Amino acid sequence: MMTDPRLLLLHPGDSVYVLRDRIAAGEVIAVEGAQVTVPDALGLGHKIARQAIAAGAQIVKYGAPIGRASAPIAAGAHVHLHNLRSDYTPTHGRGGEVA
Amino acid sequence: MSAMRGWLRADGRKGIRNHVAVAYLVECAHHVARRIAGEDAHLIGFPGCFPNPYAQRMMARLCTHPNVGAVVLVSLGCESFDRDMLERAIRDSGRPVLVVTIQSDGGTRESIAKGRDWVAAQMAALAKAPTVPVALSDLIVGTVCGGSDGTSGITGNPAAGIAFDKLVAAGAACIFEETGELIGCEGIMADRAATPALADALRAAVDKAARYYATLGYGSFAAGNADGGLSTIEEKSLGAYMKSGQSKIAGLIKPGDIPPRGGLYLMDVVPDGEVRFGFPNISDNAEIVEMMASGAHCTLFVTGRGSVVGSALAPVIKIAANPHMYRRLAEDMDINAGAVLEGGATLEEVGQAIFDKVRAVAAGDETASEAMGHREFILTYKSFEPIGPACLPV
């Protein structure tokens, strides 16, 4: 299944890809064979869902949980503070958003 | 690749370098020690005048590090450091040692002259010292990360982890550290412990770090981390945790504890008891010094932003995680793990390159920081309780 070469899978059990390069707003990229439009520009190191993730499900990176989905996440969607929350301490971003 | 050879010490350990160390025992002796060391010897020391058992133990470990062949101790004369105890420890290790005491040796000029003459004689003797073959199972390798960015956890740290797996498989002892950056990893880390009791000790070490940093008011997750794509504290910790590779965890040590055999060890660098002396390690070199005190022959240093440091006594292998930084600072870097992001190499290939670099450095190749004369060193106050019996299961 085709996946954009800018997406890096760190571990076979992961539910997210990591960007190895930036992706511009509006680009259509391949994620495991599906064509996904990226609405906002994403930088190096950001994450994209490998498959659809249900709200409350663990999100796995490096083969280990990095928190839970705080909302349903579509395959290919950006995974970050708006839809991923820590199982430890809340994360505070610059805009005051809490994950 | 040339064969690894080194210097056999009386305690059975082997050095991959044969340095003269010049150690000041209080800041007041720093200048004289620096002049004695000059370009040839390696300068280390402890600046404090008040006594500290941790510093005393660290200095004894460093002065008897396998990469050290001879030692000059430079004392002002009235500091609290137990100079005689340190001198005995060095003498008992079979190393030549000279004590220069500025107050009784005639002041700055005469102390420098006395020290320099002795160093010159020792350098000549060490240059002729016989060498023996070194195996990977003779080596202790540490890893730290500093000047991290969003790339550290996806290129440099996992590649260092792959190198660690290869080193452990070959019989080396490998040490990773910074329990404060493992919050969120304690569960999966404990699953890798050799025994259930060690698993409990690993979890307790991370709990202690979380409490210690909370007291210091440390914000362990900065807004800049989120800009770089990191979403949670456990995600950030996992990036650092990647340095440890996949091996079973053989033990939990504290600074100055020497791994008794090959395998993977976690170093607990957070002091015990109430918060007394401030931040556990005030800069990256404090971590490297603790690795050396636990016998590390060399240290892998993963950096994203681009640290340029090396170390006195033991080579530092610099792994660039960020390909853009690598292009700016290539001369300061030994390995370009950033190539993983640009399709120039796989993590496995970079891990193999790090493993090969360790062997080359143990065979005498200079690291980038050695070639440029980096010999940073810092040692400050801390306090520790000894490790418990569960920490080093047989």
Side-chain angles (χ1 to χ4, degrees):
Chain A
M1 282 194 292
M2 269 291 294
T3 292
D4 191 287
R6 289 170 292 182
L7 302 185
L8 181 67
L9 187 67
L10 295 174
H11 188 278
D14 284 1
S15 49
V16 291
Y17 283 104
V18 178
L19 270 62
R20 67 167 107 214
D21 200 354
R22 52 196 317 281
I23 294 178
E27 272 196 66
V28 179
I29 61 165
V31 180
E32 310 221 333
Q35 297 296 308
V36 175
T37 304
V38 177
D40 300 307
L42 297 178
L44 172 70
H46 282 253
K47 299 177 292 296
I48 275 181
R50 193 178 171 194
Q51 65 260 329
I53 302 169
Q58 275 192 335
I59 293 178
V60 177
K61 177 182 172 188
Y62 299 114
I66 59 167
R68 283 173 199 283
S70 56
I73 303 174
H78 184 207
V79 177
H80 202 21
L81 308 183
H82 60 288
N83 55 15
L84 166 56
R85 66 158 197 277
S86 171
D87 282 332
Y88 287 79
T89 52
T91 305
H92 296 268
R94 279 193 210 285
E97 71 268 54
V98 176
Chain B
M1 189 180 296
S2 46
M4 298 191 294
R5 296 191 68 83
W7 292 268
L8 179 63
R9 309 303 180 189
D11 62 6
R13 292 189 288 165
K14 295 170 186 172
I16 62 169
R17 297 290 185 270
N18 205 13
H19 294 310
V20 176
V22 179
Y24 56 91
L25 305 184
V26 62
E27 180 61 21
C28 321
H30 192 156
H31 172 74
V32 168
R34 183 168 53 223
R35 288 295 174 87
I36 291 171
E39 289 293 305
D40 297 329
H42 283 225
L43 181 67
I44 65 173
F46 179 63
C49 188
F50 299 100
N52 181 244
Y54 160 81
Q56 185 84 33
R57 179 166 190 249
M58 295 289 286
M59 288 291 281
R61 288 297 196 210
L62 294 162
C63 288
T64 59
H65 186 281
N67 289 358
V68 172
V71 185
V72 183
L73 299 181
V74 187
S75 162
L76 176 62
C78 53
E79 71 273 8
S80 305
F81 199 96
D82 193 336
R83 183 182 65 214
D84 296 337
M85 185 197 283
L86 181 56
E87 182 191 3
R88 265 198 313 281
I90 298 165
R91 210 173 286 292
D92 290 348
S93 79
R95 288 169 176 79
V97 53
L98 172 75
V99 179
V100 175
T101 306
I102 299 168
Q103 287 166 349
S104 55
D105 276 326
T108 298
R109 198 177 303 277
E110 288 187 34
S111 297
I112 292 171
K114 176 182 174 183
R116 286 199 67 83
D117 287 349
W118 193 85
V119 168
Q122 291 303 318
M123 295 289 297
L126 292 181
K128 287 183 286 191
T131 60
V132 296
V134 171
L136 286 169
S137 57
D138 292 319
L139 294 184
I140 300 175
V141 180
T143 185
V144 302
C145 53
S148 298
D149 69 10
T151 64
S152 302
I154 57 179
T155 63
N157 290 345
I162 290 168
F164 258 27
D165 290 343
K166 293 176 189 293
L167 289 163
V168 167
C174 291
I175 311 172
F176 69 111
E177 51 100 63
E178 194 37 317
T179 40
E181 290 172 1
L182 293 172
I183 297 164
C185 305
E186 63 280 355
I188 53 173
M189 184 164 69
D191 289 344
R192 293 165 61 194
T195 66
L198 175 61
D200 291 342
L202 293 172
R203 275 189 288 264
V206 177
D207 281 352
K208 179 181 73 169
R211 285 196 306 275
Y212 199 96
Y213 282 108
T215 306
L216 288 172
Y218 230 59
S220 53
F221 192 100
N225 293 137
D227 294 345
L230 296 176
S231 309
T232 62
I233 179 65
E234 52 267 49
E235 181 182 12
K236 182 184 177 185
S237 294
L238 279 163
Y241 174 69
M242 287 297 115
K243 296 198 298 296
S244 68
Q246 310 277 329
S247 307
K248 185 176 77 170
I249 297 174
L252 174 66
I253 59 173
K254 291 181 180 177
D257 297 331
I258 295 167
R261 61 189 72 82
L264 178 67
Y265 297 82
L266 173 66
M267 181 185 283
D268 176 6
V269 302
V270 174
D272 293 309
E274 63 192 77
V275 176
R276 263 188 286 185
F277 300 118
F279 293 106
N281 280 328
I282 62 172
S283 55
D284 296 328
N285 277 98
E287 302 179 6
I288 295 171
V289 165
E290 291 186 329
M291 286 291 168
M292 295 193 296
S294 285
H297 292 82
C298 63
T299 301
L300 311 180
F301 187 131
V302 179
T303 180
R305 303 286 298 170
S307 171
V308 300
V309 303
S311 177
L313 306 186
V316 174
I317 295 172
K318 296 266 275 309
I319 300 164
N322 184 319
H324 307 292
M325 178 276 285
Y326 180 79
R327 282 190 278 278
R328 288 194 303 276
L329 274 67
E331 199 185 6
D332 285 289
M333 300 292 143
D334 295 288
I335 299 283
N336 178 19
V340 171
L341 293 177
E342 300 186 329
T346 63
L347 278 176
E348 171 62 31
E349 287 165 350
V350 175
Q352 181 67 42
I354 296 168
F355 176 77
D356 291 342
K357 176 61 81 172
V358 169
R359 289 193 294 180
V361 167
D365 282 12
E366 280 192 320
T367 63
S369 51
E370 282 186 299
M372 256 171 296
H374 282 282
R375 291 181 188 171
E376 289 83 353
F377 183 91
I378 188 162
L379 178 60
T380 56
Y381 287 88
K382 272 191 177 184
S383 65
F384 284 100
E385 302 295 330
I387 56 170
C391 293
L392 289 175
V394 179

